[in-house]
Amino acid sequence: NAGVMQNPRHLVRRRGQEARLRCSPMKGHSHVYWYRQLPEEGLKFMVYLQKENIIDESGMPKERFSAEFPKEGPSILRIQQVVRGDSAAYFCASSPRGLAGADSYEQYFGPGTRLTVT
Amino acid sequence: SQQGEEDPQALSIQEGENATMNCSYKTSINNLQWYRQNSGRGLVHLILIRSNEREKHSGRLRVTLDTSKKSSSLLITASRAADTASYFCATVRSEKLVFGKGTKLTVNP
């Protein structure tokens, strides 16, 4: 059972270009979460998606960032017109169900995509 | 604002010693989770403790939870060089995990 897969692992973009980050959740998981980590910091929530639906995007900047999780295929985090401040590690996590409730399940994290904007 | 705040921010110990990391949080929780992150890697789930539990063990890990103080501790016994990593506590808020800034643990051989 393959874990959460992310690609590319490393991505270099010039300012103004677009970055596309992909995440394939674990088999059977329909909940996907994206987090951003700056150096020496913890992970910050960006967006929570279920198949074809955005459940919570409260952590995602209103401009230039978008996310989708189509019926078929991986979840995509898209950053348009990247700036140097977008340089960070972006992690995707998946879970078989939502996190609410006392018996909530942990999330399974991918290895991350390290975005460098030059 | 951060839900979880770990301390210390950095901890350096010798192999064989025990390592204790603490986490404080602000709001009520259903559970608290600890994760490990090796340098340049993703997070690995270590242990989940529910709000009605006070202590939980998993191998060399021992987690305590004090809901009256809104705090948790992670103890790693008989540490090994391979335990060198950053450790994060996380709580659930509105269907998402909220992480602290982590404790960077270095275990010297």
Side-chain angles (χ1 to χ4, degrees):
Chain A
N1 185 11
V4 177
M5 299 176 70
Q6 289 186 250
N7 68 80
R9 295 292 306 277
H10 300 274
L11 183 60
V12 180
R13 285 286 178 266
R14 289 201 183 101
R15 276 181 300 172
Q17 291 185 320
E18 179 180 287
R20 278 189 180 230
L21 289 63
R22 293 175 190 77
C23 168
S24 296
M26 285 182 70
K27 189 177 179 181
H29 287 194
S30 59
H31 299 251
V32 165
Y33 308 80
W34 285 93
Y35 296 86
R36 178 166 63 180
Q37 185 180 34
L38 296 171
E40 308 301 322
E41 295 278 330
L43 275 68
K44 298 278 179 67
F45 167 80
M46 296 183 74
V47 61
Y48 164 35
L49 309 103
Q50 291 182 42
K51 281 287 185 182
E52 301 184 273
N53 291 307
I54 295 175
I55 306 303
D56 182 345
E57 56 182 349
S58 59
M60 201 155 66
K62 297 275 186 288
E63 297 178 355
R64 302 188 299 108
F65 285 72
S66 63
E68 62 178 17
F69 188 16
K71 189 176 179 183
E72 302 290 338
S75 175
I76 306 284
L77 179 67
R78 184 179 174 209
I79 311 172
Q80 295 178 289
Q81 299 175 319
V82 295
V83 300
R84 287 224 172 99
D86 296 332
S87 295
Y90 292 83
F91 290 94
C92 166
S94 73
S95 67
R97 65 203 72 187
L99 297 183
D103 290 325
S104 57
Y105 285 75
E106 68 271 18
Q107 296 179 348
Y108 297 83
F109 282 81
T113 293
R114 273 146 192 85
L115 172 65
T116 303
V117 180
T118 62
Chain B
S1 63
Q2 292 287 345
Q3 170 75 325
E5 295 284 347
E6 293 92 338
D7 76 270
Q9 289 187 332
L11 180 61
S12 182
I13 58 174
Q14 297 298 124
E15 237 180 353
E17 292 180 341
N18 295 342
T20 300
M21 290 159 269
N22 303 297
C23 166
S24 60
Y25 57 93
K26 295 187 175 113
T27 62
S28 61
I29 60 171
N30 287 327
N31 65 68
L32 185 142
Q33 304 176 33
W34 284 90
Y35 287 81
R36 181 185 73 218
Q37 183 181 34
N38 289 78
S39 181
R41 302 286 187 91
L43 273 68
V44 174
H45 180 264
L46 293 176
I47 195 164
L48 180 153
I49 185 165
R50 295 188 171 85
S51 59
N52 60 354
E53 297 176 310
R54 291 296 168 258
E55 188 171 309
K56 198 162 183 180
H57 296 255
S58 176
R60 292 183 297 112
L61 305 180
R62 174 179 164 245
V63 169
T64 62
L65 180 64
D66 186 336
T67 52
S68 66
K69 294 181 180 176
K70 291 189 168 58
S71 67
S72 173
S73 68
L74 171 67
L75 168 68
I76 304 175
T77 59
S79 63
R80 305 166 182 167
D83 295 328
T84 294
S86 291
Y87 292 82
F88 297 91
C89 69
T91 56
V92 176
R93 186 196 292 175
S94 301
E95 297 267 0
K96 54 185 175 279
L97 284 175
V98 180
F99 290 87
K101 291 187 178 181
T103 293
K104 197 167 186 176
L105 173 67
T106 303
V107 181
N108 301 299

